[in-house]
Amino acid sequence: MTYDLWIIITGSLVAVTCSMVGCFLILRKMAMLADAISHTVLLGIVGGYLVSRSLEGPSLLIGAVVVGLLTALFVQLLSGKGVQADAAIGVVFTFLFAVGVILLSVFAGNIHLDVDHALMGEITFIPWDTFEWNGMELGPKAVWLLLFVFLVNLLIISLCYKEFKISSFDPEMAVAIGIPVLLLHYLQMGMLSITTVASFDSVGAILVVAMLIVPASTAYLLTDKLLSMLFISASIGVISAISGYYLATLLNVSISGAMATSTGILFTLAFLFSPKHGYLAKKRAQRNFVKEAAVDGENN
């Protein structure tokens, strides 16, 4: 495959994988927790490297999952002690991310991972870091890793779809009928953590946050059905990845930044023109309501 196509495939896999998890975060009003975990996994990545002294293997994924779960746990503990949820996320996010930056600077300064890399990623280098088997090049390692994480997330969502759906829309009912809401919460945080670290090295934290939150938020404006929301958000993510790549090529700017910008443009269009939940549709409905109220007043 060509260099351009591998970058688009990588961005699209990030988009689909992130948007699947993002839908449940949006429905549970936990979007900013995705932002927090997408940054705090830096601590897990550095910790995994310090243990294994390698950027290969499962140590980085394990470290990221552990730190992601710790982030969710600390936020929940602080919220349970009376700290406002947004403040709890801010405290945990900044502290763990700062610790990761310090450890990275002090103990891992000789590896290619740095703060700029963590934020913006290195998607342009993806086609050159290939997976080889029996002397055959089978494509970039990042593509295989993202495909694996995508299939894991898809399997979990397929097996737990009903439970995820009920706990997202009505957690009190889920508890009442015996669904382990807390277990599902940490399962989703684990999915978020492995998704984040799989995408982290390729596209950086900024695009990960954008793909987790914006396509799902856009789909939320366009449909009231969860299954449709999953498909629409994935489609929006892929469109953003493709259009963002060509926008970056045209303007000679950051590819990850352009992909994130594309998600924002599509969200703006949905926010304005969504047939049911868009700004213009609500304004139109408001005007019609005022007219009908005025007519009723005249008739009475």
Side-chain angles (χ1 to χ4, degrees), residues 18 45 53 92 165 183-184 211 219 224 230 237 278 283 292:
C18 289
I45 292 172
R53 288 293 169 181
V92 175
K165 183 177 181 179
L183 177 61
L184 293 178
M211 289 300 186
D224 295 324
L230 289 167
K283 281 292 185 181
E292 291 174 1

Side-chain angles (χ1 to χ4, degrees), residues 13-256:
L13 279 172
V14 169
V16 173
T17 308
C18 289
S19 62
M20 289 168 55
V21 180
C23 287
F24 296 102
L25 297 175
I26 293 298
L27 291 174
R28 297 179 61 196
K29 298 179 173 62
M30 298 177 63
M32 292 314 299
L33 187 58
D35 185 19
I37 290 180
S38 68
H39 285 77
T40 59
V41 292
L42 176 64
L43 176 58
I45 292 172
V46 176
Y49 169 76
L50 293 177
V51 170
S52 65
R53 288 293 169 181
S54 173
L55 293 175
E56 307 291 338
S59 59
L60 303 189
L61 275 174
I62 294 172
V65 170
V66 170
V67 173
L69 293 176
L70 284 176
T71 302
L73 177 62
F74 290 156
V75 169
Q76 189 166 5
L77 287 175
L78 290 176
S79 299
K81 295 299 182 181
V83 180
Q84 291 183 348
D86 55 347
I89 290 173
V91 170
V92 175
F93 155 43
T94 53
F95 175 73
L96 293 182
F97 183 63
V99 172
V101 171
I102 292 172
L103 291 178
L104 178 63
S105 303
V106 175
F107 298 108
N110 60 330
I111 61 174
H112 78 282
L113 183 64
D114 54 36
V115 176
D116 289 337
H117 177 197
L119 292 175
M120 297 305 300
E122 296 290 354
I123 195 170
T124 53
F125 297 143
I126 291 301
W128 311 116
D129 187 16
T130 58
F131 176 70
E132 295 185 6
W133 185 70
N134 284 344
M136 296 174 54
E137 287 193 1
L138 300 178
K141 293 178 182 178
V143 171
W144 285 101
L145 178 60
L146 287 165
L147 181 61
F148 170 75
V149 173
F150 165 71
L151 293 175
V152 169
N153 285 349
L154 183 62
L155 177 63
I156 293 173
I157 290 174
S158 300
L159 293 176
C160 304
Y161 178 77
K162 182 178 71 174
E163 290 79 6
F164 280 171
K165 183 177 181 179
I166 296 173
S167 61
S168 297
F169 285 102
D170 195 340
E172 289 79 13
M173 177 183 174
V175 172
I177 63 178
I179 293 177
V181 174
L182 189 60
L183 177 61
L184 293 178
H185 170 72
Y186 285 110
L187 179 59
Q188 289 180 350
M189 293 305 101
M191 293 167 60
L192 174 60
S193 299
I194 63 170
T195 299
T196 299
V197 75
S199 310
F200 201 86
D201 188 52
S202 304
V203 301
I206 291 176
L207 185 57
V208 171
V209 174
M211 289 300 186
L212 281 168
I213 298 174
V214 186
S217 300
T218 307
Y220 185 77
L221 294 172
L222 298 174
T223 182
D224 295 324
K225 296 181 179 179
L226 176 57
L227 189 60
S228 299
M229 183 179 177
L230 289 167
F231 281 106
I232 291 172
S233 65
S235 301
I236 290 171
V238 172
I239 293 171
S240 299
I242 296 172
S243 60
Y245 174 76
Y246 287 108
L247 179 64
T249 303
L250 178 65
L251 301 178
N252 192 26
V253 295
S254 164
I255 295 175
S256 295

